[in-house]
């Protein structure tokens, strides 16, 4: 299987590694939104978030929180975005599950909140009903 993030884990590809333990790894994104934009991955290969095992999920999310703190503090950021693109429709380009941690500055001018929609009457309740059915 051809996976650049597995290659980084196996030291077949270079990366600016920030942290690793048995389950997880963090490194700098090669094409950052802002300097310090980091990625957190499970070392095991999962093509998306829903596939991640409970054990790796918990290790990955703990590292996301730890790294968000470290990125914000060390770069003196005003805030940060944590996001994970899943599926081509969502903009995923590397099919090894990962979380982005993007340091944000009051002056950086990015607008993530574009194209916000509105609900028609009852639409919210209907959509909530569908989602809740699949949570059972
Ligand atoms: P996605 O588009 O799947 O949400 O995120 C993939 C991210 O991986 C992108 O932000 C991209 O810049 C980053 N990326 C792609 N290839 C490499 C690489 O070889 N090394 C590093 N460090 N980051 C990469
Ligand atoms: Zn992989």
């Amino acid at each position: 299987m051809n996976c650049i993030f597995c290659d980084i884990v196996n030291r077949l590809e270079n990366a600016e590694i920030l942290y690793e333990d048995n389950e997880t790894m963090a490194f700098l994104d090669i094409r950052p939104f802002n300097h310090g934009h980091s990625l957190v991955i499970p070392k095991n290969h999962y093509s998306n978030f829903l596939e991640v095992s409970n054990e790796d999920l918990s290790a990955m999310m703990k590292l996301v929180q730890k790294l968000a703190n470290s990125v914000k503090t060390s770069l003196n950021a005003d805030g940060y975005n944590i996001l994970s693109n899943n599926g081509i429709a969502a903009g995923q380009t590397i099919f090894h599950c990962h979380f982005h941690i993007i340091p944000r500055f009051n002056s950086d001018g990015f607008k993530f909140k574009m194209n916000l929609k509105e609900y028609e009457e009852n639409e919210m309740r209907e959509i909530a009903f569908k989602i809740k059915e699949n949570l059972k």
Side-chain angles (χ1 to χ4, degrees), residues 4-5 8 13-16 27-33 37 39 83-87 90-96 98-100:
I4 189 86
F5 287 180
I8 289 173
E13 193 67 47
N14 283 329
E16 197 58 49
F27 49 89
L28 290 179
D29 192 305
I30 205 164
R31 292 286 317 277
F33 274 101
H37 176 167
L39 300 172
L83 63 97
S84 176
N85 301 320
N86 284 268
Q92 185 177 8
T93 58
I94 303 287
F95 290 83
H96 180 131
H98 55 280
F99 272 76
H100 298 254

Side-chain angles (χ1 to χ4, degrees), residues 1 3-7 43-46 95-96:
M1 182 195 28
C3 173
I4 189 86
F5 287 180
C6 283
D7 286 350
K43 282 188 166 174
N44 287 326
H45 181 91
Y46 304 100
F95 290 83
H96 180 131

Side-chain angles (χ1 to χ4, degrees), residues 36-86:
H37 176 167
S38 305
L39 300 172
V40 170
I41 65 169
K43 282 188 166 174
N44 287 326
H45 181 91
Y46 304 100
S47 60
N48 64 59
F49 183 62
L50 292 185
E51 288 181 1
V52 179
S53 73
N54 278 346
E55 198 182 40
D56 283 342
L57 182 66
S58 126
M60 177 173 66
M61 295 319 290
K62 278 185 185 153
L63 180 55
V64 166
Q65 188 185 51
K66 198 171 153 142
L67 200 71
N69 183 34
S70 170
V71 165
K72 183 175 187 296
T73 306
S74 21
L75 299 173
N76 211 10
D78 299 308
Y80 50 89
N81 292 102
I82 294 172
L83 63 97
S84 176
N85 301 320
N86 284 268

